[in-house]
Amino acid sequence: MAIVCFDIGGTDIKYALISDEGEIQSRGSTPTVQTSTEEFISVLVKKIRNYENRTAISGVGISIPGIVDNRSGQTITAGAIWHLYNKNIKKLLSEHFSYPIHVENDARCALVAEMTSGAAKGLQDVVLMTIGTGIGGAIAFNGEIIYGKDFKTGEFGMMRLDIGHHPDGTMHELASTSALIKSYKEKKFLFPSTLVDAKLIIDEISFERETAELVDEWITYLAAGVFNIAASFNPQKIVIGGGISANQKLLPMLLKKLESNPHWNDYKTAIETAFYKNNAGLIGAYSFFTSSEMKEIQL
């Protein structure tokens, strides 16, 4: 028996067949359908059918961005996949398959992956913050994932960090990678359509003073958000995820900025970058099926 897992992103859908023992037997990716929900579901059905021809399937796990009612499978929002807003993926797939289907927010999947066999293995009180196009997150208390009354717990991107200078600015607009890229393009007089990699912006700080100043301001906002999380939840560890976390300069800069906060010593906690990068969604989707046993996945 095996589980079919999907990690749905705004650009690509990653998929994998994972055995009950936690071994990834097959994996692949395909572009995310942005045209219609019907075509989107059709792609998922096709991938599952292909796996059904190879082995017995015991369930489907799905990681997806946005606000998700994990009990019903309803996607209240779905990040940049606009046609999936207010759609019930679980119900739509259940029209084709009879086995269990679980739909979960991607940040919560990433947190469960880290707690199962990653940077937060063995911990009970953990916060994960993802730094990407926006700022996302997830919270575990006493080993349980917290959802909130409307499944909105962990929406750290809505924090307001600088009322004096940016009265309506949220953490999304001040501390995300898209915020860093936007500021960089403005500073360098680049066209808005110019492709810029946030990780490369950080690499540039060693030889470009203007870039160093821009990144320092961005890190200041990011550190403010991390401090607010530490002071609010008092976790054993804060795990930093998102593509930019792979840049080895990020964590030292963040820790240095936190140490300059006179209140940090009162709320200080361990901070570590996520162990799982591109595999986090798949592993988390799998782990939600096997969380009672907390099996380690074999990459």
Side-chain angles (χ1 to χ4, degrees):
M1 301 288 280
I3 298 168
V4 180
C5 295
F6 293 97
D7 179 13
I8 298 165
T11 303
D12 296 306
I13 299 173
K14 301 183 186 71
Y15 53 89
L17 182 69
I18 305 177
S19 72
D20 286 342
E21 291 73 37
E23 179 184 359
I24 295 180
Q25 300 177 330
S26 174
R27 73 170 86 192
S29 67
T30 187
T32 301
V33 175
Q34 297 283 4
T35 49
S36 73
T37 302
E38 291 73 19
E39 291 180 48
F40 174 87
I41 293 295
S42 177
V43 169
L44 300 191
V45 169
K46 182 178 179 180
K47 299 302 179 186
I48 297 169
R49 293 292 188 205
N50 286 341
Y51 282 135
E52 277 185 333
N53 293 330
R54 297 168 50 178
T55 188
I57 305 299
S58 58
V60 175
I62 298 174
S63 166
I64 189 168
I67 300 168
V68 180
D69 182 340
N70 69 315
R71 298 170 303 185
S72 67
Q74 185 86 4
T75 53
I76 301 161
T77 64
I81 313 171
W82 302 107
H83 68 80
L84 287 180
Y85 278 52
N86 294 310
K87 299 293 175 63
N88 194 311
I89 297 177
K90 179 178 179 179
K91 182 178 179 181
L92 292 170
L93 283 178
S94 293
E95 294 174 3
H96 302 270
F97 307 103
S98 59
Y99 33 71
I101 297 168
H102 187 87
V103 183
E104 190 60 73
N105 164 267
D106 56 357
R108 294 191 178 102
C109 282
L111 176 55
V112 167
E114 296 297 331
M115 292 179 69
T116 301
S117 53
K121 183 179 179 180
L123 301 182
Q124 297 290 301
D125 302 326
V126 184
V127 176
L128 178 135
M129 185 174 78
T130 57
I131 309 166
T133 304
I135 301 289
I139 304 162
F141 178 69
N142 285 341
E144 299 290 331
I145 301 296
I146 298 175
Y147 289 87
K149 69 179 182 65
D150 297 317
F151 308 96
K152 295 177 182 177
T153 298
E155 293 293 316
F156 303 133
M158 293 308 297
M159 281 194 283
R160 297 168 71 186
L161 301 177
D162 191 354
I163 300 296
H165 296 95
H166 303 279
D168 299 317
T170 66
M171 198 174 178
H172 288 308
E173 297 158 311
L174 297 172
S176 64
T177 53
S178 56
L180 176 61
I181 290 169
K182 181 175 182 290
S183 297
Y184 181 85
K185 289 180 180 180
E186 291 172 353
K187 181 73 73 173
K188 299 292 184 178
F189 301 103
L190 299 175
F191 288 110
S193 59
T194 304
L195 294 178
V196 176
D197 188 334
K199 294 191 289 291
L200 297 180
I201 295 175
I202 292 180
D203 288 337
E204 197 176 292
I205 65 176
S206 60
F207 56 88
E208 283 282 353
R209 182 181 57 81
E210 280 191 340
T211 303
E213 292 173 352
L214 181 150
V215 170
D216 184 72
E217 181 181 35
W218 176 75
I219 284 286
T220 298
Y221 287 126
L222 186 60
V226 171
F227 173 78
N228 289 344
I229 290 170
S232 298
F233 300 104
N234 189 31
Q236 293 168 285
K237 181 178 284 187
I238 297 174
V239 178
I240 305 295
I244 200 169
S245 67
N247 189 301
Q248 295 183 355
K249 294 180 180 178
L250 178 69
L251 186 59
M253 288 193 299
L254 177 60
L255 292 173
K256 182 178 179 180
K257 189 64 68 172
L258 284 166
E259 293 294 346
S260 70
N261 181 334
H263 306 291
W264 177 238
N265 279 336
D266 294 329
Y267 299 96
K268 192 171 185 176
T269 191
I271 300 177
E272 188 174 338
T273 53
F275 177 78
Y276 294 112
K277 302 295 190 289
N278 292 332
N279 289 314
L282 290 173
I283 295 167
Y286 167 84
S287 297
F288 266 105
F289 266 86
T290 60
S291 59
S292 61
E293 298 178 49
M294 296 296 275
K295 296 178 182 177
E296 285 199 32
I297 196 162
Q298 300 166 23
L299 292 176

